[in-house]
Amino acid sequence: MPAIFLSTTLGSEMQRVYNFSAGPAVFPVPVLERIRDEMLSLPGVGASILEISHRSQPFIDIANDAERRLRQLLSIPEDYAVLFLQGGSRLQFSMIPMNLAGTSQGPATYVVTGAWGKMAAEEATKFGEVAVAYDAKKPYDHLPAQGEVNVPGGAAYVHYTSNETIQGVQFPSDPDFGDAPLVCDASSDFLHRPVDVAKYGLIYACAQKNAGPAGVTVVIVRKALLERSQATLPTYMNFKQHAEADMLNTPPTFAIYALGLIAKWVQEDIGGLAAMHERNKEKASLLYQVIDEFGDFYKGHAQVDARSLMNVTFRLPGEEDEKAFVKGAKERQLTDLKGHRSVGGIRASIYNAMPREGVEALASFMREFAQSRG
Ligand code: PMP
């Protein structure tokens, strides 16, 4: 029986499924338990995280701790600011060109390997000149080969999506696209492996996949780039004002608290990002092995060297098979496996917090299903 059972304060047992949702997504159980335990009163505070002022010392300590843990995990250099913003990664699709691509800059440049990168590039056209240095084009199943990315001279920045959540296409390491500041949408693979932050101008990630609940988006930006932010920008949209202000507005307090607890879990329970990466590689290989073993039945979407460790995407011979697969999986407490509505098929999102047992349960279901229908 794959499901996890938790004892609750009411003494009854609560059943948890293995949730393969692409986001908001599975949380580490110890973090959920801690949130539950502290929900009525934060230790030493006597009030809930939901009730305290963002200007109160307990919240300032919580936000500082979350930032400190992110800085430790990713070895973020001192000359980078860490911002906790709202508006999701979608808002970054506009904030980034608004701040980094002014009139004195060359084109905002995009490397497009899937649906999210394409949307980011389209949004940027509202603010100025955009160059597409590479477009993998539909069905978005691969990465650029060596020498295929043509960045125009003087580009304001080069934006790419480290993990395309819908297609399940991921860069296995930090790419090198030349001298322009590298901007990464790391929404769906943030904190899944060590990253060399110094190679980047800016990294952003909404939290609701690997790093917390919906509501907070982390922006890590090289401070020198803040000089590009024009004073005429709307205040909330201005990176520099966020970095210089002592909290520009009320931040998403609960989401920042939960993000801090997840960072602590990665540090203390998992042992850091290198250990996290090993776990993620092992988990993903359990599913890709089945896909390869039953290659007549399962067709992986991404080409082998572009396979995502976070979102495993594949098709079955027909839509009826896919429907039966999703239904059969759900009967075994394996949920949210339907692929994104724009591409269909199956998508198993196996973020950091998905336990290995959940992936093993899915791999055995996949084997049995292929044997019974193949
Ligand atoms: N980029 C990527 C890679 C994503 O997966 C998502 C959300 N699925 C977004 C951007 C948009 O994030 P949000 O919904 O937080 O605006």
Side-chain angles (χ1 to χ4, degrees):
M1 190 65 195
I4 310 167
F5 292 91
L6 293 181
S7 59
T8 71
T9 43
L10 298 173
S12 60
E13 280 198 331
M14 182 191 294
Q15 192 179 339
R16 279 175 58 80
V17 297
Y18 285 123
N19 165 20
F20 294 91
S21 165
V26 58
F27 252 62
V29 170
V31 172
L32 290 175
E33 288 174 332
R34 169 117 183 230
I35 293 171
R36 176 197 62 192
D37 293 347
E38 293 183 351
M39 187 44 75
L40 289 179
S41 170
L42 286 165
V45 179
S48 169
I49 179 65
L50 302 175
E51 301 170 304
I52 60 172
S53 165
H54 61 297
R55 303 279 175 203
S56 67
Q57 197 55 47
F59 180 72
I60 293 169
D61 292 345
I62 284 170
N64 286 344
D65 186 63
E67 176 174 340
R68 183 177 59 83
R69 289 183 183 282
L70 287 184
R71 285 188 179 277
Q72 287 169 345
L73 274 170
L74 287 160
S75 307
I76 300 174
E78 272 307 305
D79 61 330
Y80 283 72
V82 176
L83 311 176
F84 293 133
L85 303 183
Q86 292 162 85
S89 285
R90 272 292 187 124
L91 189 63
Q92 293 311 310
F93 292 177
S94 21
M95 264 179 103
I96 288 165
M98 283 171 103
N99 283 269
L100 301 189
T103 40
S104 59
Q105 306 292 333
T109 301
Y110 287 76
V111 172
V112 178
T113 53
W116 289 109
K118 189 167 191 311
M119 273 185 261
E122 279 168 7
E123 189 73 7
T125 61
K126 295 178 180 169
F127 306 100
E129 193 191 347
V130 167
V132 174
Y134 175 81
D135 187 348
K137 299 231 167 78
K138 279 185 176 169
Y140 289 116
D141 61 359
H142 64 279
L143 296 170
Q146 193 74 26
E148 269 191 316
V149 176
N150 299 305
V151 179
Y157 58 81
V158 187
H159 175 287
Y160 83 106
T161 312
S162 50
N163 182 61
E164 282 286 354
T165 323
I166 294 175
Q167 283 83 12
V169 165
Q170 186 179 32
F171 283 82
S173 53
D174 307 322
D176 182 355
F177 298 137
D179 295 337
L182 187 59
V183 172
C184 177
D185 176 356
S187 295
S188 51
D189 66 359
F190 191 54
L191 302 184
H192 95 293
R193 69 167 171 84
V195 165
D196 186 356
V197 175
K199 283 192 176 157
Y200 291 84
L202 186 149
I203 300 174
Y204 66 102
C206 49
Q208 70 267 22
K209 292 145 195 313
N210 245 0
V216 65
T217 299
V218 179
V219 174
I220 301 166
V221 55
R222 195 190 300 142
K223 286 179 185 164
L225 288 173
L226 297 173
E227 295 315 312
R228 294 190 189 179
S229 300
Q230 301 294 316
T232 49
L233 285 173
T235 309
Y236 190 86
M237 304 296 277
N238 189 314
F239 284 143
K240 189 172 185 211
Q241 285 194 298
H242 278 288
E244 287 177 352
D246 183 12
M247 283 193 274
L248 198 58
N249 71 326
T250 313
T253 48
F254 173 76
I256 294 169
Y257 156 78
L259 179 134
L261 293 181
I262 290 198
K264 181 173 186 291
W265 171 79
V266 176
Q267 279 185 311
E268 294 176 8
D269 292 22
I270 304 297
L273 291 181
M276 192 82 251
H277 195 204
E278 284 312 306
R279 266 170 68 126
N280 285 327
K281 283 191 282 192
E282 283 170 21
K283 284 189 311 185
S285 75
L286 293 172
L287 300 186
Y288 288 120
Q289 260 167 27
V290 183
I291 291 172
D292 291 340
E293 200 179 313
F294 295 90
D296 294 337
F297 190 73
Y298 296 117
K299 294 273 176 270
H301 177 77
Q303 290 183 9
V304 172
D305 60 359
R307 283 175 165 177
S308 170
L309 302 184
M310 301 281 105
N311 312 97
V312 177
T313 48
F314 53 96
R315 288 198 158 280
L316 275 63
E319 260 182 57
E320 285 310 309
D321 297 304
E322 288 169 355
K323 276 197 192 132
F325 181 93
V326 171
K327 186 164 173 283
K330 196 164 180 205
E331 282 161 11
R332 292 165 184 240
Q333 325 293 334
L334 309 169
T335 72
D336 295 80
L337 285 159
K338 198 166 178 299
H340 190 272
R341 60 192 183 282
S342 63
V343 296
I346 305 292
R347 170 173 57 174
S349 298
I350 51 170
Y351 297 121
N352 284 353
M354 170 57 68
R356 187 188 165 99
E357 296 73 39
V359 182
E360 281 169 350
L362 177 59
S364 24
F365 173 68
M366 285 171 70
R367 280 208 168 81
E368 273 174 45
F369 192 83
Q371 275 156 357
S372 70
R373 318 259 299 197

